[in-house]
Amino acid sequence: MPGLLLGDEAPNFEADTTHGRIRFHDFLGDSWGILFSHPRDFTPVCTTELGRAAKLAAEFSKRNVKMIALSIDSVQDHLSWCKDINAYNGEQPTEKLPFPIIADKNRELAVQLGMLDPDERDKDGMPLTARVVFIFGPDKKLKLSILYPATTGRNFDEILRVVDSLQLTAYKKVATPVDWKAGDSVMVVPTLPDEEAKKLFPKGVFTKDLPSGKKYLRYTPQPE
């Protein structure tokens, strides 16, 4: 099945959305971008996800991240659905969210991007669009991909966390360890020699002693 792999450039598709027609690369501009997909409008899990995404829109904006969703129904259906989503959030039932929703009525983009769930099907026997999260860098290349089945809702706190990690590690010679959160210590990448690490990280580099005697677990406070 066609799809995107890490490092692939995002296709510069054109699409109708709840915010008008877009060309994807122009929409992203110099920002980071998140494209996340949904099986169908007016479905329960999707409504909760889009509601949460709308609540977090300001957090993504602070990180220079543009969000855009995709669902297989029409723009008109999307606009009507947005009223429900806003009402779910306890807000005025307006027709738009802080980010656009792409109309993919014929599943063309879902197929092109490899978003179809092979196991979950609709009443007509068609594969549902899976819950994909694609994160693109300012270079338009795919930095992270998470593929959930159609039945499992996303964790947007985790998506914010991985954005923080991706942006930090894109510009600093560090990696983020298990369960890392912004502000925690980070790990010095293995390819960086000790002497260079000491110069790059003036707050100090701390090595954990291991039975092997190998000094590969090197930590430093999160760099600015």
Side-chain angles (χ1 to χ4, degrees), residues 61-92:
S61 181
K62 281 196 304 191
R63 292 162 171 80
N64 191 32
V65 177
K66 289 184 177 177
M67 291 192 292
I68 187 166
L70 175 149
S71 186
I72 65 168
D73 293 302
S74 68
V75 168
Q76 202 55 47
D77 283 337
H78 291 351
L79 292 171
S80 180
W81 186 28
C82 286
K83 292 181 179 179
D84 287 359
I85 296 163
N86 284 316
Y88 164 78
N89 276 346
E91 297 171 358
Q92 288 297 315

Side-chain angles (χ1 to χ4, degrees), residues 118-140:
D119 295 323
E120 295 294 326
R121 297 176 181 269
D122 65 15
K123 58 183 176 58
D124 301 317
M126 294 291 289
L128 292 177
T129 304
R131 299 179 194 282
V132 172
V133 178
F134 287 144
I135 301 182
F136 299 99
D139 58 1
K140 314 294 188 294

Side-chain angles (χ1 to χ4, degrees), residues 29-207:
D30 296 325
S31 301
W32 290 70
I34 294 182
L35 170 60
F36 52 102
S37 58
H38 295 272
R40 189 175 290 282
D41 292 3
F42 303 105
T43 50
V45 176
C46 298
T47 300
T48 64
E49 287 183 319
L50 283 169
R52 179 66 173 152
K55 288 283 192 185
L56 290 172
E59 288 296 321
F60 284 102
S61 181
K62 281 196 304 191
R63 292 162 171 80
N64 191 32
V65 177
K66 289 184 177 177
M67 291 192 292
I68 187 166
L70 175 149
S71 186
I72 65 168
D73 293 302
S74 68
V75 168
Q76 202 55 47
D77 283 337
H78 291 351
L79 292 171
S80 180
W81 186 28
C82 286
K83 292 181 179 179
D84 287 359
I85 296 163
N86 284 316
Y88 164 78
N89 276 346
E91 297 171 358
Q92 288 297 315
T94 54
E95 283 192 335
K96 291 186 179 179
L97 300 177
F99 49 84
I101 306 176
I102 296 168
D104 190 31
K105 199 169 183 180
N106 297 321
R107 288 183 171 84
E108 291 173 1
L109 263 179
V111 170
Q112 180 183 0
L113 299 175
M115 292 177 167
L116 296 183
D117 187 328
D119 295 323
E120 295 294 326
R121 297 176 181 269
D122 65 15
K123 58 183 176 58
D124 301 317
M126 294 291 289
L128 292 177
T129 304
R131 299 179 194 282
V132 172
V133 178
F134 287 144
I135 301 182
F136 299 99
D139 58 1
K140 314 294 188 294
K141 292 183 179 179
L142 184 64
K143 306 301 182 184
L144 180 136
S145 173
I146 307 174
L147 179 59
Y148 297 81
T151 51
T152 299
R154 282 167 277 236
N155 183 327
F156 275 86
D157 291 325
E158 168 63 4
I159 295 170
L160 274 176
R161 190 190 76 88
V162 296
V163 166
D164 287 337
S165 174
L166 288 169
Q167 292 184 338
L168 176 64
T169 59
Y171 306 114
K172 305 291 183 180
K173 293 185 178 181
V174 297
T176 56
V178 63
D179 296 334
W180 175 87
K181 301 182 296 297
D184 291 351
S185 292
V186 295
M187 307 186 87
V188 179
V189 294
T191 54
L192 192 66
D194 286 338
E195 287 307 311
E196 190 175 344
K198 289 175 184 176
K199 294 175 184 175
L200 276 180
F201 306 117
K203 293 180 181 179
V205 176
F206 312 95
T207 303

Side-chain angles (χ1 to χ4, degrees), residues 208-224:
K208 184 174 179 61
D209 292 331
L210 298 168
S212 67
K214 298 181 185 296
K215 305 295 185 182
Y216 60 90
L217 288 184
R218 297 181 296 169
Y219 293 86
T220 188
Q222 180 178 320
E224 300 297 328

